């Protein structure tokens, strides 16, 4: 095909323009007062926030799977209540991916407004100018929030559990997992060397067989036994593998398994949960310092860290950090109590240092125990 | 005087203007491509290479490269990656080569030929999560074949599917996209074997064995090895299939890189990822250099046909 010079030049111009467009759609200049507001009153109260968010029209979220602590209902509720769109990016992203995405998209209107991150990542980026400090109205009632300065807020914690197909019978103690009926059926959600669900699942088993956060040798020995009898498989369980029965026993976050149970019940299939030891981890909410929609970001904090959000998380099987206060003031919803209960609040959590030490040991011990 | 007259003659295509710019303007069409390659291939590669020579504090250092080079875990991971790549490249090249040969000697206008080529183009790209899931659902512990085998063939390996989650299982899964790729790459070469060569060999008294030993195999070898190298690289850098099949990030280098990048429990280390990637780039450069040298030999006779 022969092109005239003009045609060539225009093709080049069009393509370079197309490549440049995404970087040109920079952050909007509107509503700058929201970007520095550290609480609702600095943003003109709740009505000011709502008005600001409606003007922005959209909230950018990332890493919020709909089955995770019932984030599906959370997102739908926010959209319905405030009539704004939600632009959801990569639901399966990890905490680190969230920060990376914000850094890569810095200055564009695609950058995430809010984060939902694990403690390790939250601590790592605290004080680096990544988070905009913000305290929600009920901040002082939030468990463990008092020590923070609002850069990130503990939002909900999950206890680990074992979800399994009811057709396999009942599990009453951890040693049951070694029985032949579970041959090739037990999976851990993630690699303990990199995934927080993976390491916490490991901690739960470790604690159940008599280990502690500082002594993980018993857990390693148990997983080795589990692998040696052929019951443990190194498959990453997903919604698809669970739904299709490829991974009928899954060591996972309780708030994910609660969703699975609900879905299975709707289809008339039994999915049971067994929690041999109370081990949990707390996630954290934070606002991006360069959120393209600063008002919506702060409104999201008010919504999720308020009464409405806490009840959604509770129904989704997580324990909101506001839960103790909600129970005390009798604001907890019935469905929330049915799902989250009133006792799981005291789940044991590993500190960042304990996890780093455990990871250093697991780096060689884990592949040796369960590697192929 | 002659010069003025000359410039008015114009070019054969009827275009006028500076002779210098006329030839250069043809390159304008390549600008988008070079931009694309520069932005999405060269720049990230440069980023990886320079990043590998820094430490966690972003200072120039070879600490990470040394540390990984001397780490037993990393070495084992690298050997695993090389092992799976060599195995799947060999199996893929041999089976795919035979299949391509069968196709080429058959009726090339037939339905089966066209169907197979089309299927190969699709299956060569059928990697990742879908492929892994297909295998899990078929041969996994609770897969279709396994459930059937446990009932009717309890003593075969179908009923003991632990193999799927180990090295050899992953080899089987990988060959699923390696064979079609081999067919696509190798088919043109086989089709270029001219029947006249066979006739010439026959008329000089050669038999089938002599034809293959002296003509067929020597002519095909460079392309065959070249295609196998391509398969090696294809498997060397595969990520999604392995990621879906195994939780063990220390099993293959691409998985280790993924884990170093998106670690949730405080192990995130971009420098480690970049250093690992640099080692991968070095292996790929070596292999691709071999490939380029081989291609040069192949092109020689392919062009003269």
């Amino acid at each position: 095909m022969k092109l005239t010079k003009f045609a060539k030049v225009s093709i080049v111009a069009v393509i370079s323009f197309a490549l440049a467009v995404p970087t040109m759609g920079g952050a909007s200049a509107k509503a700058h007062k929201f970007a520095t507001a550290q609480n609702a009153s600095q943003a003109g109260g709740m009505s000011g926030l709502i008005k600001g968010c409606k003007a922005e029209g959209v909230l950018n979220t990332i890493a919020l799977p709909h089955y995770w602590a019932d984030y599906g209902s959370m997102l739908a509720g926010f959209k319905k209540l405030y009539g704004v769109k939600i632009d959801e990016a990569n639901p399966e992203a990890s905490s680190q991916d969230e920060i990376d995405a914000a850094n890569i998209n810095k200055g564009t209107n695609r950058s995430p407004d809010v984060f939902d991150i694990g403690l390790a990542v939250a601590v790592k980026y605290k004080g680096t100018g990544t988070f905009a400090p913000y305290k929600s109205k009920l901040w002082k009632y939030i468990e463990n929030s008092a020590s923070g300065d609002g850069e990130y807020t503990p939002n909900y914690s999950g206890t680990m559990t074992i979800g399994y197909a009811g057709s396999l019978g009942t599990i009453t103690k951890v040693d049951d997992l070694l029985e032949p009926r579970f041959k090739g059926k037990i999976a851990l959600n993630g690699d303990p060397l990199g995934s927080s669900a993976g390491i916490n699942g490991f901690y739960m088993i470790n604690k159940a067989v008599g280990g502690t956060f500082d002594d993980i040798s018993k857990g390693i020995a148990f997983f080795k036994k589990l692998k040696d009898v052929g019951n443990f498989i190194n498959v990453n369980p997903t919604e698809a593998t669970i739904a299709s029965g490829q991974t009928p026993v899954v060591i996972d976050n309780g708030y994910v398994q609660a969703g699975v149970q609900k879905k299975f019940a709707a289809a008339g299939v039994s999915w049971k949960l067994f929690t041999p030891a109370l081990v949990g981890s707390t996630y954290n909410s934070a606002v991006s310092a360069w959120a393209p929609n600063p008002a919506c970001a702060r409104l999201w904090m008010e919504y999720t860290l308020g009464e409405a959000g806490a009840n959604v998380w509770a129904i989704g099987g997580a324990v909101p950090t506001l839960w103790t206060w909600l129970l005390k003031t009798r604001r907890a919803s019935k469905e929330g109590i049915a799902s989250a209960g009133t006792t799981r609040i005291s789940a044991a959590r590993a500190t960042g240092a304990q996890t780093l030490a455990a990871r250093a040991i697991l780096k060689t011990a884990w592949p040796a125990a369960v590697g192929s | 005087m002659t010069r003025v007259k000359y410039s008015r003659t114009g070019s054969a295509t009827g275009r006028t203007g500076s002779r210098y710019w006329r030839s250069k303007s043809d390159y304008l069409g390549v600008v988008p491509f070079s931009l694309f390659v520069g932005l999405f291939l060269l720049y990230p590669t440069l980023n990886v290479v320079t990043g590998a020579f820094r430490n966690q504090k972003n200072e120039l250092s070879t600490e990470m490269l040394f540390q990984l080079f001397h780490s037993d875990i990393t070495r084992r991971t690298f050997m695993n990656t090389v092992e799976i790549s060599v195995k799947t490249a060999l199996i893929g090249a041999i089976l795919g080569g035979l299949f391509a040969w069968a196709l080429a000697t058959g009726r090339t206008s037939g339905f089966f030929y066209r169907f197979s080529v089309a299927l190969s183009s699709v299956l060569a790209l059928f990697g990742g999560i879908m492929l892994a899931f297909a295998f899990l659902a078929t041969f996994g512990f609770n897969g279709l074949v396994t459930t059937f085998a446990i009932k009717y063939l309890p003593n075969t390996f179908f009923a003991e599917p632990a193999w799927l989650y180990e090295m050899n299982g992953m080899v089987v899964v990988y060959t699923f996209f390696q064979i079609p790729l081999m067919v696509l790459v190798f088919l043109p070469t086989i089709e270029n074997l001219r029947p006249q060569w066979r006739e010439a060999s026959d008329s000089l008294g050669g038999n089938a064995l002599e034809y293959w030993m002296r003509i067929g195999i020597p002519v095909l070898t460079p392309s065959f090895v070249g295609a196998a190298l391509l398969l090696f690289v294809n498997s060397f850098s595969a990520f999604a299939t392995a990621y879906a099949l195994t939780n063990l990030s220390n099993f293959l280098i691409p998985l280790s890189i993924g884990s170093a990048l998106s670690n949730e429990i405080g192990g995130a280390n971009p420098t480690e990822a970049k250093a690992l990637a640099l080692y991968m780039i070095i292996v790929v450069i070596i292999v691709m250099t071999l490939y380029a040298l081989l291609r040069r030999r192949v092109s020689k006779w392919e062009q003269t046909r």
Side-chain angles (χ1 to χ4, degrees):
Chain A
M1 185 172 64
K2 285 271 177 198
L3 292 173
T4 65
K5 196 150 124 195
F6 176 72
K8 277 181 207 162
V9 172
S10 29
I11 288 173
V12 173
V14 165
I15 291 176
S16 2
F17 183 70
L19 285 173
V21 161
T23 51
M24 276 160 43
S28 54
K30 63 192 170 186
H32 262 310
K33 64 170 177 168
F34 294 114
T36 52
Q38 298 197 6
N39 51 52
S41 57
Q42 285 178 13
M46 282 301 283
S47 58
L49 268 185
I50 293 169
K51 220 171 124 192
C53 179
K54 279 190 172 153
E56 288 166 359
V58 64
L59 171 76
N60 297 344
T61 63
I62 184 168
L64 302 182
H66 286 194
Y67 58 81
W68 184 280
D70 209 5
Y71 258 119
S73 308
M74 188 76 93
L75 294 161
F78 186 79
K79 271 190 272 196
K80 204 175 148 199
L81 193 57
Y82 300 115
V84 291
K85 277 188 260 179
I86 295 184
D87 190 347
E88 299 172 52
N90 189 9
E92 296 295 336
S94 75
S95 299
Q96 182 66 45
D97 294 340
E98 294 181 47
I99 308 288
D100 291 347
N103 277 323
I104 289 165
N105 294 307
K106 194 173 185 170
T108 74
N109 52 21
R110 296 272 304 148
S111 185
D113 289 312
V114 282
F115 304 118
D116 182 52
I117 45 183
L119 190 61
V121 171
V123 170
K124 183 173 166 191
Y125 287 94
K126 183 178 145 78
T128 61
T130 310
F131 309 132
Y134 187 82
K135 293 182 180 179
S136 63
K137 287 174 92 174
L138 299 175
W139 204 74
K140 59 173 178 265
Y141 303 116
I142 288 174
E143 212 182 331
N144 294 330
S145 73
S147 56
D149 47 17
E151 279 208 38
Y152 58 84
T153 310
N155 50 14
Y156 58 89
S157 49
T159 42
M160 302 305 298
T161 192
I162 302 173
Y164 61 104
S167 57
L168 291 170
T170 312
I171 303 177
T172 52
K173 54 185 192 301
V174 181
D175 281 340
D176 288 356
L177 293 174
L178 295 165
E179 287 173 13
R181 62 180 157 137
F182 297 116
K183 192 166 173 60
K185 290 189 163 56
I186 303 168
L188 177 63
N189 187 11
D191 180 1
L193 287 170
S195 130
S196 81
I199 188 88
N200 282 315
F202 171 81
Y203 279 146
M204 173 181 70
I205 299 291
N206 180 52
K207 193 179 170 195
V209 296
T212 66
F213 289 129
D214 294 311
D215 172 21
I216 58 169
S217 58
K218 285 181 178 151
I220 295 171
F222 185 82
F223 270 102
K224 183 165 173 28
K225 243 193 287 177
L226 214 51
K227 169 79 184 175
D228 288 346
V229 296
N231 288 6
F232 183 72
I233 44 175
N234 278 311
V235 175
N236 224 343
T238 60
E239 266 191 308
T241 61
I242 293 174
S244 63
Q246 297 310 306
T247 48
V249 183
V250 179
I251 303 169
D252 198 358
N253 282 307
Y255 46 77
V256 175
Q257 289 305 309
V260 173
Q261 198 173 30
K262 215 173 282 175
K263 218 185 225 174
F264 271 47
V269 181
S270 152
W271 186 260
K272 296 183 193 169
L273 304 182
F274 171 62
T275 309
L278 278 179
V279 169
S281 65
T282 305
Y283 269 80
N284 301 277
S285 295
V287 175
S288 165
W290 51 89
N293 308 296
C296 281
R298 284 156 180 79
L299 189 59
W300 174 255
M301 295 290 275
E302 292 292 351
Y303 174 74
T304 54
L305 295 166
E307 214 179 303
N311 273 311
V312 173
W313 275 326
I315 294 168
V319 181
T321 43
L322 205 55
W323 201 234
T324 318
W325 182 76
L326 284 181
L327 287 172
K328 212 158 56 185
T329 55
R330 300 181 181 281
R331 287 164 207 256
S333 69
K334 260 188 208 135
E335 302 103 295
I337 293 174
S339 163
T342 53
T343 55
R344 279 198 284 150
I345 296 159
S346 55
R349 292 167 198 138
T351 65
Q354 281 169 329
T355 295
L356 276 184
R359 187 174 179 273
I361 296 170
L362 286 172
K363 196 152 187 177
T364 44
W366 184 252
V370 303
S372 28
Chain B
M1 285 301 279
T2 33
R3 196 178 278 173
V4 177
K5 205 174 160 190
Y6 216 55
S7 74
R8 281 181 184 165
T9 337
S11 69
T13 54
R15 294 183 300 178
T16 55
S18 154
R19 200 161 276 262
Y20 178 79
W21 282 109
R22 196 182 306 151
S23 58
K24 293 293 176 289
S25 72
D26 286 337
Y27 288 104
L28 262 182
V30 194
V31 168
F33 176 73
S34 339
L35 255 180
F36 183 80
V37 170
L39 269 178
F40 298 108
L41 199 70
L42 296 181
Y43 174 69
T45 310
L46 192 75
N47 202 340
V48 162
V49 173
T50 53
F53 288 99
R54 292 185 179 277
N55 61 16
Q56 291 256 54
K57 289 174 223 139
N58 213 22
E59 299 157 345
L60 274 182
S61 140
T62 50
E63 184 193 327
M64 185 52 80
L65 287 168
F66 267 106
Q67 196 187 320
L68 288 176
F69 190 81
H70 292 291
S71 148
D72 285 341
I73 301 174
T74 310
R75 285 188 176 191
R76 206 171 45 221
T77 313
F78 235 100
M79 286 323 292
N80 272 348
T81 317
V82 170
E83 185 186 335
I84 196 171
S85 306
V86 169
K87 279 184 176 169
T88 62
L90 281 180
I91 297 173
I94 291 169
L95 294 182
L98 287 175
F99 189 55
W101 179 60
L103 278 179
T105 48
R107 218 155 48 88
T108 53
S109 56
F111 169 77
F112 184 73
Y113 176 87
R114 280 181 287 136
F115 178 74
S116 304
V117 171
L119 195 67
S120 295
S121 329
V122 175
L123 292 182
L125 300 173
F126 185 70
I129 312 274
M130 321 168 276
L131 178 63
F133 186 73
F135 266 89
L136 284 181
T138 316
F139 298 107
F141 270 102
N142 309 289
L144 200 68
V145 170
T146 315
T147 328
F148 176 83
I150 286 171
K151 249 188 205 156
Y152 303 103
L153 307 160
N155 296 320
T156 61
F157 73 99
F158 287 120
E160 279 289 333
W163 58 271
L164 181 61
Y165 305 91
E166 282 156 18
M167 171 63 83
N168 290 338
M170 217 158 299
V171 168
V172 172
V173 177
Y174 272 34
T175 38
F176 203 80
F177 58 77
Q178 295 281 56
I179 294 175
L181 182 66
M182 182 67 185
V183 171
L184 287 185
V185 178
F186 199 53
L187 194 57
T189 315
I190 292 206
E191 285 181 334
N192 281 341
L193 276 183
R194 284 187 292 173
Q196 286 92 326
W197 294 342
R198 183 69 195 257
E199 288 158 15
S201 163
D202 287 351
S203 64
L204 288 170
N207 57 27
L209 180 72
E210 277 166 328
Y211 166 74
W212 279 113
M213 292 310 289
R214 300 200 173 170
I215 300 163
I217 291 176
V219 159
L220 290 179
T221 302
S223 319
F224 182 82
V225 177
L229 289 177
L230 197 69
L231 295 193
F232 175 88
V233 174
N234 189 36
S235 152
F236 194 66
S237 58
F239 171 73
T241 314
Y243 179 73
L245 265 181
T246 179
N247 253 347
L248 290 170
S249 56
N250 282 332
F251 187 60
L252 297 174
I253 291 289
L255 296 179
S256 304
I257 295 178
S259 170
L261 282 179
S262 65
N263 206 296
E264 289 179 320
I265 58 168
N269 188 344
T271 315
E272 184 184 338
K274 284 174 183 168
L276 286 171
L278 177 63
Y279 284 128
M280 285 189 77
I281 291 174
I282 292 172
V283 172
V284 171
I285 286 177
I286 294 172
V287 175
M288 289 323 275
T289 310
L290 289 175
Y291 180 70
L293 290 174
L294 272 165
R295 278 313 299 182
R296 210 183 285 164
R297 274 193 68 125
V298 179
S299 311
K300 244 185 243 162
W301 68 265
E302 269 189 355
Q303 275 160 11
T304 55
R305 75 199 174 89

